Amino acid sequence: MSDAPRFGNLIGGEWVPARSGATFESVSPADREDVVGVFPRSGREDVGDAVAAAGRAFPAWRGTPQPARGDLLRRAAQLLRDRKEDLARLMTREMGKVLVEARGDVQEAIDMADYMAGEGRRPVGETVPSELTDKVCFTWREPVGVVGLITPWNFPVAIPSWKLFPALLAGNAVVLKPAEDTPLCAARLVEALVEAGLPAGVVNVVHGIGEEAGAALVDHPDVRALSFTGSAEVGRLVAARGGQQLKRVSLELGGKNAIVVLDDGDLDLAIDGAVWAAFGTTGQRCTAASRMIVHREVLGNFTERLRERAEALRVGNGLDEGVDVGPIVNDRQLRRVHSYTEVGLGEGARLVTGGAVLDRGDLGRGHFYAPTIFADVRPAMRIAQEEIFGPTVSVIAAESLEQAIAHANSTAYGLSLSIYTRDVNRAFRAMRELQAGIVYVNAPTIGAEIQLPFGGIKSTGNGHREAGSTALEEFSEWKSVYVDYSGRLQRAQIDTA
Ligand code: UN1
């Protein structure tokens, strides 16, 4: 057994091992020998303990004034700000993204905490006119109760913060099951909440793997809402099993995002955007651009320049200055990414660059993959339809704006789409016609800001949006209140003037 530090689940304010005593390791993707920590491999009983603790903590938290709940998030934001560099370094070590991006990930959580702290003092409903005299009607939000959050490894601080902070502000008690690849990032985020003064049991953390701890959380009858970010495949299971119990289920799933480059677009800008969106975070963002849909006029030039830029990227340990592209999160994902290179070749696409595991020298210690470009890709090919979640991009030709939009819309997903054009008419047509929850003009498909709704259409989700003005929708119920001060029975729809 490794001598790496051991961590517990957070249940009712105590850090405790799994009841079974089982554990798993969090290992750095840049160096298999670097064990970040040993964590409880939780089962149904542990989840049961966490849900019970949340249930006990809920009434007092619900009764805490919302501005006070917001103030706590403000204190947590300050702690995260103080710890930003340490947390970013931990993130790079635990899941691989390069340091500059890890800092951005922590910043996104700070932004969300600040935003939600402010939200704490904003209106919680509307006063609405009554059709009857001497009667007042209004709405307010109420918390759902105990909510279950299941979060991914690719934004291991930001995405838990998108769920935790609005859930807490709305007055819910929470059980978080973070990704098994990034348990320590999640634990550090929650520690900031605890140190900011969160009462015991309001947030509980249950580590473990999806099929065990995650499934137990989904199935637990006392968990009234579930928020899940991950693959479409698992999202369908969460929706089906949660839906059976009539839970509120919010899903933020895959993407097959595209950048459209028209013949009038600024090619230099488009190349910069393409490199950032395709290879940033090693392509492991649900908003990553894995398709470049390029007007025939500029296709050759675009592909050649993208190749040059991809080949100039330095792949390595994200902690090293000067590295542009970090590792793939684990060996299973590395093999999956590589299997898509085989798929692309089998489908007759032309491999322009990459397509190989990188294991020379220090790279052999981790899971590295070369930035990969396929050209001559037809929109229906699997490499242009399925989410690869790695540094692999398909270049697809288009003859016109209409065809480019049709290609962009031709996948099952609808998260983030972008267009590069200098023509305002074409830009607005694209904004209207692109089928996605997020559209960018003259900017890449990544880089959403927390004060706007985040989420997608089609198979990217089931109609919910995280962040922005919509953040609380996931985690609260509306109550409509009617107060009649006329002193007599007034019948709606009947005793109207
Ligand atoms: C994700 O990839 O799951 O817009 C989230 C972005 C980031 C969030 C990505 N702010 O790329």
Side-chain angles (χ1 to χ4, degrees):
M1 194 18 118
S2 150
D3 56 7
R6 302 174 79 87
F7 297 89
N9 289 328
L10 179 64
I11 296 182
E14 306 287 331
W15 294 94
V16 294
R19 283 218 208 178
S20 68
T23 59
F24 69 96
E25 292 181 340
S26 170
V27 179
S28 175
D31 181 352
R32 284 180 206 88
E33 307 214 325
D34 179 17
V35 180
V36 175
V38 179
F39 293 84
R41 180 168 167 169
S42 311
R44 275 184 195 266
E45 319 78 58
D46 305 299
V47 169
D49 291 344
V51 173
R56 286 192 297 275
F58 173 61
W61 185 242
R62 175 180 190 268
T64 303
Q66 184 165 285
R69 297 197 294 253
D71 289 345
L72 187 138
L73 295 178
R74 188 175 294 106
R75 289 196 292 280
Q78 190 52 47
L79 292 169
L80 292 171
R81 221 175 256 117
D82 296 344
R83 296 169 191 178
K84 181 172 170 181
E85 190 60 23
D86 286 350
L87 198 45
R89 286 186 176 274
L90 164 66
M91 188 185 301
T92 299
R93 183 175 165 220
E94 193 168 43
M95 59 68 71
K97 70 171 68 172
V98 297
L99 204 45
V100 64
E101 293 187 29
R103 291 186 189 117
D105 191 315
V106 179
Q107 187 59 47
E108 203 160 338
I110 296 168
D111 295 344
M112 185 55 105
D114 283 340
Y115 183 82
M116 280 296 139
E119 187 66 33
R121 289 177 189 268
R122 297 194 67 247
V124 293
E126 292 181 309
T127 309
V128 183
S130 171
E131 63 195 33
L132 296 163
T133 53
D134 295 338
K135 189 174 175 189
V136 62
C137 315
F138 59 89
T139 61
W140 68 39
R141 289 179 186 281
E142 292 192 350
V144 178
V146 177
V147 303
L149 312 179
I150 301 178
T151 54
W153 48 264
N154 69 329
F155 276 81
V157 171
I159 293 182
S161 84
W162 295 1
K163 301 186 192 298
L164 279 167
F165 299 165
L168 292 173
L169 186 83
N172 300 282
V174 173
V175 178
L176 169 67
K177 205 300 275 180
E180 56 265 37
D181 287 297
T182 50
L184 192 50
C185 285
R188 293 287 184 244
L189 174 65
V190 170
E191 272 171 16
L193 288 167
V194 171
E195 284 176 47
L198 194 73
V202 176
V203 171
N204 304 274
V205 181
V206 182
H207 293 292
I209 67 168
E211 293 85 340
E212 298 168 5
L217 190 57
V218 170
D219 291 342
H220 198 297
D222 295 340
V223 173
R224 294 312 310 152
L226 294 164
S227 181
F228 170 84
T229 298
S231 70
E233 186 192 351
V234 177
R236 282 178 213 279
L237 290 174
V238 173
R241 287 167 70 160
Q244 195 64 37
Q245 292 185 42
L246 304 179
K247 296 183 184 196
R248 302 164 68 100
V249 182
S250 313
L251 304 172
E252 159 43 29
L253 309 174
K256 191 68 191 177
N257 314 298
I259 292 180
V260 171
V261 183
L262 297 184
D263 46 348
D264 65 80
D266 179 334
L267 206 58
D268 294 336
L269 193 64
I271 294 284
D272 283 346
V275 171
W276 174 227
F279 305 123
T281 330
T282 322
Q284 302 172 114
R285 292 194 189 212
C286 48
T287 53
S290 54
R291 298 179 297 151
M292 302 294 155
I293 300 170
V294 184
H295 195 281
R296 182 79 69 189
E297 285 288 310
V298 291
L299 182 66
N301 195 357
F302 177 92
T303 308
E304 179 52 23
R305 290 177 62 187
L306 187 63
R307 181 188 67 75
E308 279 169 17
R309 291 283 297 274
E311 290 176 355
L313 292 169
R314 286 150 302 182
V315 179
N317 188 324
L319 288 170
D320 296 341
E321 285 296 327
V323 162
D324 302 302
V325 177
I328 302 268
V329 71
N330 60 37
D331 187 51
R332 191 181 65 249
Q333 283 295 120
L334 181 71
R335 281 187 274 120
R336 178 183 152 85
V337 168
H338 189 55
S339 75
Y340 273 101
T341 294
E342 310 290 333
V343 168
L345 291 170
E347 290 178 305
R350 176 166 59 88
L351 183 62
V352 174
T353 187
V357 173
L358 301 176
D359 54 8
R360 290 238 185 101
D362 279 352
L363 297 187
R365 304 172 76 88
H367 317 291
F368 293 94
Y369 204 72
T372 298
I373 302 171
F374 276 104
D376 302 340
V377 177
R378 288 190 308 279
M381 287 180 178
R382 283 184 57 201
I383 54 168
Q385 288 290 327
E386 297 173 20
E387 184 174 50
I388 299 174
F389 226 62
T392 302
V393 64
S394 293
V395 183
I396 299 168
E399 311 291 339
S400 63
L401 170 67
E402 288 68 29
Q403 192 182 41
I405 290 174
H407 288 344
N409 290 343
S410 72
T411 75
Y413 297 108
L415 181 56
S416 182
L417 293 169
S418 134
I419 185 162
Y420 283 81
T421 178
R422 289 181 172 114
D423 180 330
V424 70
N425 296 350
R426 293 168 121 191
F428 270 90
R429 271 161 62 202
M431 286 176 228
R432 191 186 59 205
E433 299 302 328
L434 288 171
Q435 295 168 359
I438 307 170
V439 168
Y440 290 93
V441 178
N442 294 331
T445 55
I446 65 179
E449 303 177 26
I450 61 91
Q451 64 276 22
L452 276 77
F454 182 94
I457 61 172
K458 296 156 74 179
S459 300
T460 293
N462 60 346
H464 299 270
R465 293 291 182 275
E466 304 196 87
S469 57
T470 47
L472 297 177
E473 294 296 334
E474 265 188 280
F475 300 112
S476 54
E477 297 280 8
W478 284 110
K479 181 172 276 179
S480 300
V481 181
Y482 298 87
V483 181
D484 189 322
Y485 57 97
S486 69
R488 62 182 191 277
L489 173 66
Q490 298 195 88
R491 296 171 299 176
Q493 293 90 41
I494 296 169
D495 296 330
T496 50

